[in-house]
Amino acid sequence: MAPKTPVISPAKLPALLVLVAGLCLAVLIAVETKRGQQEALERELRKLAQDRAELIRGQVLRSMEVLHALAGLYRTDAEVTREEFRTFVEPTLSRQPELQALAWDPRVKAADREKWEAKARAEGFADFSFTEENAEGHFIPAAAREEYFPVFYLESLARNAPALGFDVGSEPVRRAALELARDSGLPTATAPVRLAQEPGSQSGFVVFLPIYRGPVETAEQRRENLLGFATAVFRIGDLIESTLRPVGNNGVLISIEDPAAGGTIYRQSGERWHGTLSWTTPVEFAGRHWNLHFEPDPLLRRLYAATLPWIVGATGAAITGLLAAYLWLEALRSAQLKASHEALLGEILVRKEAEASAESANKAKSEFLASMSHEIRTPMNSILGYSQILARDSGLPPFHRDMIATILSSGNHLLHLIDEILDLSKIDAGRMEITHVDFDVNALANELVAIFQHPCEEKQLGLRLDAPALGWPLLVHGDEGKLRQILINLLGNAVKFTKSGRVVLRIYQIGDAWDFEVEDTGPGIDPGSQERIFEPFQQDPGSHAETGTGLGLAISKRQAAILGGALTLDSQPGHGSTFRLSLKLPLVGESARKPAPQRQTRHLAEGNRVKALVVDDIAENRDVLATMLTQVGCEVVLAEHGRQAVEVTGVSRPQIVFMDVRMPEFDGIEATRRIVNQFGTTGIKVIATSASALVHQREQCLKAGCDDFVAKPFHAERIYAVLHQHLGVNFDSDPVPQSVSSAESIDFSALVLPEELASRMVMAAELHSATVLKNCLAEVEALGPPGERLAQHLREFVSSYDMKTIQRVLAQIQVT
């Protein structure tokens, strides 16, 4: 009997088909991956090479423009003095380091040799003479010949002194280029030569541009009317390296071939990848035709590693084998397990869809918050920045300074609303962090009273501070920022909803336990609404006429809980409200008896110097930060985007860079990486700036190499603190000028004026009589220290002729 042919079970056939098809597909993918890698490597090499070739062509054009400008000087005035020559070329040599030297090589007949040599000696070059180079490379007196082309004017002289007096017509290579330039009238470069002033082994070349006097239509006329040559000297290595320095290596190495000179004239140092891949392009330089030859180095090659196709193929084969094995095992499973398996797959699919939906919602929320913060903070940077700049002007009248203080206060209030929304999001996500520092409770209390003094005066409300030991600092340890935010919310609500009467901030201390009370004489809150007002987006129904987000109390209550304290309310309709914050703040050491006066940075201290680069694509942001820096004596340069920032850094070498994160071309993160890669971590300090103050973006900037992060809007003192911290510079400072709205707080409830005096002052203010008011203020001063403070307070308004404010202040003072 014939043997039976093995039969493959139909259930196992899909596994075998998948195995065969998968292996074929893996091989195909590996082949395509290898071909794609090679094409990607070629494209990257071509792109990098084209960028560098364009830089070299641009540098060549700029160098030729310099030579033509020098020739133009001699066409205008053939009798150019040595000092005029130096003055003309020195700025060019400082801007273009690729130029080794610029020279004037006159045409000198044999009979005039002694006269020219004597002229140079009379100008201070005692050993000057026409020279040439012998076979051993030493300079000797030039032999007798019909005419000479000595290097007569030469800059910079310090690094090129050996070449002064050298007869360029004495050496064959230079002579050939010189005669070709003379007969053609065009700039002509020599083949690579060893320069007369070369201290090392680097090759160079000389470009001659002829200058004539008279007709130049024919070669004979040019030979007859030749005056001399404007000459530029280059070291080949310096030319290429200074041109390519802004872009660095980045995986590409260059070689330059001069076919007429017989081969390679420059080869960039570095390890090359020994393969067949390269890219070549021609460039013309003063009659010389060069070939720029670009090759990848091993670093670029490793980015497109040849092992990747094998990895892809092996991975595909492994996945195919696993899939085939899985299908093979599936075919062996019982039918009873199939239903449960399909149910499980369905459950996994539903769960993944739910997770994807939740992740998408969180991402959308984060993007919305970041976008909202950035879009609002960007224009606020200009408003608050220019306001700070004006506030530093000591020449402003008090009334104008008061207006600026109002702008700053309102702008900061708007930012406060934005931060409330972001803080609510952080609390919901459980990401609110506590920052413990040592701070002065009394300084914080005085700062809050100064902030709300002006709004209270506008509404004719009394504002009083009851706090312990107001005369000196009282240091505690805790989260000052969150405590300030809670109290600003409470005081802001008190001023907003109180129509008449007063607002009081009280501070009680028993050991480490502190109570902060904000009391007002407003309409009070209904008992049924007292719990709801601590919920997000909820307000007392009786406050519908007032503006607000309804977030302040919700955030304050949650922040109080995070700080380990409690926020409570005591209120009755018609009898005002008292909000009480209770928390523990440990005392810190012994407090000084006399508080140090607040200081304002005025100028860099003597001997300190700062050169800063400000990078921002928005002109107003650049101007605000640049003005803040120049006001204190910093030297500032500007850039509009990331690519320009890297280029300007390479040229100007600033000590510190303020780098905006969001910009065109490439962003601040990429620009920072390039600056760090080029100058190292110990060189230039990079400070990231952004209108987005989210934590993850701050961390991203620091990981990219930034030394610090400053959020917009800018605060001038924060900018100066960054300079002190990262550059170690010091500043001279002055006491902070007090604006009218932030002047020393006056407890109007403690003042009593005679009725007759108060009536005269009100009448004088209504009639705009500054003379009568000044006489009345002299009487007020005689009432003792409270009267002296009131007189000083009102005198600012009299000088600015602000009679309405004087009437509002007088309305808050008791009379006998």
Side-chain angles (χ1 to χ4, degrees):
M1 295 179 61
K4 294 183 178 180
T5 304
V7 178
I8 298 175
S9 171
K12 299 177 182 178
L13 185 60
L16 293 177
L17 292 176
V18 166
L19 181 61
V20 174
L23 291 175
C24 294
L25 182 60
V27 173
L28 179 60
I29 292 175
V31 172
E32 287 299 312
T33 300
K34 183 175 182 180
R35 185 176 63 83
Q37 272 195 303
Q38 186 68 16
E39 292 178 353
L41 177 59
E42 292 175 358
R43 286 195 301 270
E44 183 66 12
L45 174 63
R46 183 167 58 252
K47 176 180 176 297
L48 295 174
Q50 287 174 339
D51 290 343
R52 285 156 176 75
E54 288 304 314
L55 285 174
I56 292 173
R57 290 191 179 97
Q59 194 65 60
V60 167
L61 290 176
R62 285 193 292 273
S63 299
M64 289 300 98
E65 288 173 359
V66 171
L67 203 56
H68 283 289
L70 183 57
L73 174 66
Y74 274 91
R75 294 191 188 99
T76 304
D77 182 7
E79 299 299 327
V80 177
T81 67
R82 191 177 300 273
E83 185 61 31
E84 289 172 339
F85 180 86
R86 181 184 301 111
T87 301
F88 185 82
V89 303
E90 273 185 346
T92 300
L93 291 171
S94 64
R95 288 194 309 269
Q96 297 186 222
E98 78 279 0
L99 288 167
Q100 172 71 14
L102 291 171
W104 161 241
D105 303 341
R107 180 187 187 185
V108 179
K109 298 293 186 180
D112 296 328
R113 172 175 175 172
E114 292 184 1
K115 181 177 68 175
W116 282 82
E117 290 177 335
K119 178 181 178 183
R121 293 176 187 137
E123 291 177 343
F125 300 96
D127 298 328
F128 181 88
S129 64
F130 292 3
T131 62
E132 61 185 39
E133 198 171 13
N134 62 14
E136 289 76 26
H138 301 299
F139 290 107
I140 61 175
R145 54 179 64 94
E146 291 184 2
E147 59 182 8
Y148 303 89
F149 295 92
V151 179
F152 198 73
Y153 291 167
L154 178 63
E155 293 294 337
S156 66
L157 191 58
R159 59 179 179 178
N160 297 283
L164 189 65
F166 177 69
D167 179 16
V168 295
S170 64
E171 192 271 322
V173 174
R174 292 178 175 82
R175 182 74 184 186
L178 184 147
E179 291 176 348
L180 182 59
R182 176 198 64 192
D183 294 344
S184 65
L186 300 174
T188 303
T190 68
V193 296
R194 186 182 186 280
L195 300 175
Q197 61 270 43
E198 173 59 40
S201 59
Q202 189 175 161
S203 296
F205 61 93
V206 184
V207 180
F208 297 105
L209 181 61
I211 301 173
Y212 308 97
R213 176 176 291 173
V216 292
E217 297 178 0
T218 66
E220 290 299 327
Q221 290 177 336
R222 296 190 188 102
R223 294 181 181 181
E224 179 67 25
N225 296 322
L226 178 68
L227 286 179
F229 295 90
T231 306
V233 182
F234 300 86
R235 300 173 82 212
I236 298 176
D238 290 352
L239 170 64
I240 301 303
E241 289 166 11
S242 64
T243 302
L244 299 183
R245 185 174 296 117
V247 296
N249 185 350
N250 290 336
V252 178
L253 298 172
I254 182 174
S255 302
I256 302 177
E257 296 177 353
D258 188 339
T264 301
I265 61 174
Y266 172 78
R267 182 178 176 85
Q268 189 175 4
S269 61
E271 182 184 358
R272 284 167 166 75
W273 172 64
H274 299 291
T276 58
L277 183 62
S278 63
W279 189 78
T280 302
T281 184
V283 63
E284 191 269 337
F285 195 154
R288 305 297 298 185
H289 296 278
W290 292 351
N291 290 326
L292 307 182
H293 187 66
F294 296 92
E295 301 171 84
D297 68 2
L299 175 62
L300 184 63
R301 181 61 181 175
R302 282 196 293 272
L303 295 176
Y304 299 88
T307 57
L308 183 60
W310 298 105
I311 295 174
V312 171
T315 303
I319 293 173
T320 300
L322 291 174
L323 180 60
Y326 172 76
L327 293 176
W328 187 278
L329 292 175
E330 275 294 302
L332 300 177
R333 290 190 181 187
S334 64
Q336 291 82 1
L337 295 177
K338 183 176 180 180
S340 60
H341 179 67
E342 290 178 351
L344 179 60
L345 289 177
E347 182 180 348
I348 292 173
L349 180 61
V350 171
R351 184 172 298 176
K352 286 185 175 180
E353 289 177 351
E355 290 175 354
S357 178
E359 179 65 24
S360 177
N362 284 334
K363 183 178 180 181
K365 176 183 176 182
S366 298
E367 291 176 351
F368 167 76
L369 291 174
S371 176
M372 182 179 68
S373 173
H374 184 275
E375 293 304 320
I376 298 180
R377 283 175 175 270
T378 297
M380 288 305 298
N381 186 50
S382 298
I383 296 172
L384 296 181
Y386 286 123
S387 298
Q388 291 177 78
I389 291 168
L390 290 173
R392 293 174 64 85
D393 186 355
S394 59
L396 284 178
F399 181 56
H400 291 170
R401 191 176 300 137
D402 190 42
M403 293 179 179
I404 293 169
T406 302
I407 295 173
L408 281 168
S409 175
S410 300
N412 285 319
H413 178 66
L414 176 58
L415 287 177
H416 175 64
L417 296 180
I418 300 168
D419 290 336
E420 284 183 347
I421 297 173
L422 295 176
D423 283 346
L424 183 63
S425 170
K426 293 176 183 177
I427 294 172
D428 289 338
R431 295 196 301 268
M432 179 65 72
E433 298 177 351
I434 299 177
T435 303
H436 287 104
V437 296
D438 296 342
F439 66 95
D440 181 3
V441 173
N442 283 328
L444 175 61
N446 288 324
E447 177 187 343
L448 295 173
V449 171
I451 291 173
F452 289 97
Q453 181 72 48
H454 188 70
C456 286
E457 289 179 355
E458 287 184 334
K459 298 184 69 173
Q460 299 186 15
L461 299 176
L463 177 60
R464 191 168 77 244
L465 170 62
D466 290 340
L470 284 175
W472 58 83
L474 192 56
L475 297 181
V476 297
H477 187 73
D479 192 324
E480 181 185 16
K482 291 183 179 59
L483 176 58
R484 177 188 283 106
Q485 188 172 0
I486 294 172
L487 295 179
I488 286 176
N489 273 326
L490 299 180
L491 287 167
N493 285 342
V495 175
K496 180 191 304 182
F497 297 115
T498 302
K499 304 297 183 183
S500 62
R502 70 181 185 279
V503 174
V504 181
L505 172 60
R506 294 190 183 93
I507 303 177
Y508 300 103
Q509 175 204 359
I510 303 177
D512 291 345
W514 293 78
D515 283 348
F516 298 85
E517 289 185 358
V518 176
E519 176 189 307
D520 65 62
T521 56
I525 301 173
D526 184 85
S529 304
Q530 290 185 15
E531 288 299 326
R532 286 202 309 273
I533 63 172
F534 289 108
E535 298 176 3
F537 306 107
Q538 297 294 323
Q539 290 184 330
D540 178 20
S543 65
H544 58 84
E546 301 291 344
T547 59
T549 62
L551 288 173
L553 290 176
I555 293 173
S556 297
K557 190 172 183 66
R558 296 191 188 186
Q559 286 181 326
I562 290 172
L563 295 176
L567 180 61
T568 58
L569 168 63
D570 181 12
S571 178
Q572 293 182 2
H575 295 281
S577 304
T578 300
F579 286 87
R580 180 179 297 104
L581 171 65
S582 302
L583 73 161
K584 289 186 178 296
L585 295 172
L587 289 170
V588 179
E590 293 292 332
S591 298
R593 284 288 173 179
K594 184 177 181 181
Q598 188 177 359
R599 310 292 293 181
Q600 174 177 278
T601 300
R602 176 169 55 85
H603 201 276
L604 285 169
E606 185 175 357
N608 290 264
R609 177 182 174 274
V610 174
K611 186 173 186 180
L613 169 60
V614 176
V615 188
D616 202 305
D617 60 315
I618 299 177
E620 291 80 5
N621 289 345
R622 292 195 305 272
D623 183 62
V624 165
L625 184 49
T627 303
M628 287 180 177
L629 292 168
T630 54
Q631 274 188 333
V632 294
C634 298
E635 179 184 350
V636 179
V637 291
L638 305 175
E640 298 180 8
H641 50 72
R643 184 182 300 276
Q644 191 178 70
V646 176
E647 294 173 355
V648 172
T649 300
V651 175
S652 298
R653 295 297 180 90
Q655 298 164 262
I656 190 167
V657 179
F658 290 90
M659 180 74 70
D660 186 37
V661 176
R662 292 191 184 183
M663 290 186 295
E665 294 288 329
F666 48 77
D667 61 17
I669 299 296
E670 178 61 22
T672 298
R673 290 195 183 102
R674 298 195 182 193
I675 291 174
V676 171
N677 289 339
Q678 186 170 349
F679 300 100
T681 57
T682 59
I684 299 170
K685 301 296 182 182
V686 180
I687 310 300
T689 65
S690 175
S692 175
L694 298 180
V695 174
H696 76 275
Q697 185 165 56
R698 181 190 303 265
E699 294 175 349
Q700 182 183 11
C701 294
L702 297 178
K703 288 180 181 178
C706 294
D707 298 279
D708 207 339
F709 182 94
V710 176
K712 299 176 185 176
F714 298 126
H715 292 278
E717 294 299 327
R718 166 64 173 147
I719 297 299
Y720 305 147
V722 166
L723 297 180
H724 174 71
Q725 177 183 352
H726 294 285
L727 299 183
V729 297
N730 295 314
F731 296 87
D732 295 327
S733 58
D734 291 326
V736 174
Q738 295 293 322
S739 65
V740 175
S741 63
S742 63
E744 180 181 1
S745 176
I746 300 175
D747 185 359
F748 294 119
S749 64
L751 287 172
V752 179
L753 289 178
E755 182 177 6
E756 186 271 337
L757 176 59
S759 299
R760 277 191 288 126
M761 294 178 69
V762 172
M763 181 76 67
E766 291 176 349
L767 297 176
H768 292 253
S769 176
T771 302
V772 174
L773 277 171
K774 291 178 181 177
N775 294 331
C776 292
L777 292 180
E779 298 180 41
V780 172
E781 285 181 327
L783 299 177
E788 292 175 358
R789 289 198 299 272
L790 175 61
Q792 181 181 1
H793 189 62
L794 293 179
R795 191 168 281 112
E796 298 286 345
F797 296 112
V798 173
S799 64
S800 60
Y801 218 63
D802 185 1
M803 300 301 175
K804 289 185 178 180
T805 301
I806 294 174
Q807 294 177 56
R808 288 198 299 267
V809 173
L810 292 174
Q812 302 175 59
I813 301 175
Q814 300 181 47
V815 298
T816 58

